[in-house]
Amino acid sequence: MMRRTAFKSRAPDQFARDPDRVRHVPSATPGAFRVPEPVNNAPAARVEKSAPVRSEAYRRLVAAVPCVICGLVGYGQAAHGSAGKGMGIKASDLELFCLCADRPGVRGCHSLLDQGALFTKAVRREREPVWAADTRRKLLALGLWPKGVPVPDD
């Protein structure tokens, strides 16, 4: 019968922190660093942004079309592109396209795209506006555009 040995004891920490030891950090001499004066003291110009379009009916229609990546029908989710987003702000609903959701045993295109597993950021930024425009054209061609949602100039 093999007998297990006890865990090896840890070697004493050679670099244990000594509270009495003070590490020397050179300090900056007061006045050694100058902050440059601003050229113009005027506040930055305010950029007016158009209010994003929000429509539950449009989101449901987008989720009903086939996935733009794999073509799967029935597991669609309306996916917002990354353009026009900000901290806590989603892009306009007019920038939606359909991606398939996760299902038992299969990761969907929506989560794969969000995780960066399908395309690089640069490729994604190129393709998302194209997917959104194709989705808008498809819904307009089918005559499914919801009332009250402005039709963009594509």
Side-chain angles (χ1 to χ4, degrees):
M1 169 196 251
M2 286 186 70
R3 188 170 172 187
R4 290 184 178 240
T5 59
F7 289 109
K8 291 182 180 178
S9 63
R10 288 187 173 179
D13 192 1
Q14 296 173 1
F15 303 104
R17 182 167 278 207
D18 182 7
D20 296 330
R21 188 177 132 231
V22 177
R23 192 170 65 148
H24 176 69
V25 179
S27 62
T29 312
F33 299 104
R34 273 188 72 240
V35 177
E37 298 271 334
V39 176
N40 184 0
N41 289 336
R46 186 175 191 151
V47 177
E48 294 297 325
K49 294 182 180 180
S50 59
V53 174
R54 300 281 179 245
S55 171
E56 178 71 23
Y58 185 74
R59 286 192 299 269
R60 289 182 183 275
L61 284 171
V62 170
V65 299
C67 174
V68 295
I69 296 175
C70 69
L72 184 68
V73 180
Y75 289 95
Q77 289 181 330
H80 284 94
S82 55
K85 291 197 310 190
M87 183 170 259
I89 301 170
K90 283 209 180 266
S92 171
D93 283 352
L94 295 178
E95 298 302 316
L96 290 172
F97 47 90
C98 184
L99 293 175
C100 62
D102 291 342
R103 45 210 180 273
V106 180
R107 294 217 25 225
C109 294
H110 197 159
S111 65
L112 290 172
L113 185 75
D114 284 347
Q115 308 269 317
L118 295 177
F119 303 107
T120 62
K121 228 181 239 189
V123 170
R124 201 178 150 177
R125 287 193 177 132
E126 288 176 13
R127 293 189 180 187
E128 286 175 349
V130 174
W131 292 336
D134 288 345
T135 301
R136 289 190 301 269
R137 280 193 292 273
K138 189 181 296 183
L139 291 175
L140 281 167
L142 293 171
L144 297 174
W145 198 265
K147 292 179 182 175
V149 177
V151 179
D153 303 329
D154 280 338

